[in-house]
Amino acid sequence: MKKNGHVLKSINHTFGGGDIVIEGIVDENINSHNKTHIENEIIEHINSKNFSREYTQYLNIVSKFNGKDLINSKSLRGSRLEYLFYQFFKVLEENKIIDEVIWYGKIGHFGIPSQAPGGPIGDPDLILFVDNNLIVVELTTIRPKALQWSAEGASVPDHIRIVEKKYPDYDIYAFYLAPIIHDERVTKGMLSRLIEYKSKLHCFEIEQFISACKEIKSKGEFLDFIK
């Protein structure tokens, strides 16, 4: 069981004795698409030292199988945020508010996510398609402004510029979402790198963004929001 590691059912099976049929097991799906649950997980995640209480319990169980210290993995902390936002936008896709969400990370063994490949020539974390508009989504769990700038200051504008060149027929927008937005030290620097480009970058604190999206009920309202 993902919350406490308790065994749900034990089955004695003789090798070569046919298929194993598992029935009557009910447990929560760690990757479910309940919007309120996803929103709460995002908020708890960014406000925690490592991970939310629920996901920490899950990682403790997985760590017993693979022998890795997942709880203190900074890379996993970032990829967990990416995947939570992928789930968040997937709900918007299912509700016809956006047309499609693409996440450039991937899911590995035990449902553990890995990050989108970054760097100056890498992919953005996620992209959204809404009619003839494409929205780049860049995420960070980092709070200190100096660390934010060193990690995201160059890569975010680079990814936006790459997308603009790759999709010339789309109007390009971008969201930079962070636990804290540092206007003077971080986001103004990002915007200065995009002066000669058509793309429009919007910078939001994550909790502010989640709160604003709760009011959006249609594709038209989402387009008004990005524009």
Side-chain angles (χ1 to χ4, degrees), residues 63-177:
S63 295
K64 294 176 182 177
F65 288 94
N66 63 17
K68 296 180 180 179
D69 179 13
L70 298 175
I71 301 299
N72 294 301
S73 171
K74 298 302 182 185
S75 175
L76 179 55
R77 180 164 160 76
S79 58
R80 173 62 175 168
L81 183 65
E82 287 183 15
Y83 187 65
L84 284 170
F85 266 99
Y86 172 69
Q87 290 182 304
F88 177 83
F89 288 119
K90 199 68 181 175
V91 173
L92 298 190
E93 180 185 312
E94 292 166 358
N95 291 335
K96 312 298 183 184
I97 293 173
I98 65 173
D99 297 327
E100 185 179 9
V101 53
I102 295 175
W103 173 46
Y104 286 98
K106 61 182 180 181
I107 293 293
H109 293 303
F110 303 106
I112 301 300
S114 57
Q115 287 177 295
I121 59 173
D123 294 310
D125 296 334
L126 304 102
I127 59 173
L128 317 175
F129 291 94
V130 189
D131 293 340
N132 66 327
N133 304 281
L134 188 156
I135 301 98
V136 175
V137 181
E138 293 282 8
L139 303 158
T140 186
T141 60
I142 300 170
R143 288 178 174 272
K145 58 186 175 182
L147 292 177
Q148 250 191 54
W149 175 249
S150 63
E152 311 291 346
S155 64
V156 168
D158 285 343
H159 293 167
I160 295 169
R161 291 190 295 238
I162 290 170
V163 169
E164 184 173 306
K165 291 178 180 178
K166 187 176 180 180
Y167 296 92
D169 296 330
Y170 284 83
D171 293 330
I172 308 297
Y173 297 85
F175 292 137
Y176 173 63
L177 307 179

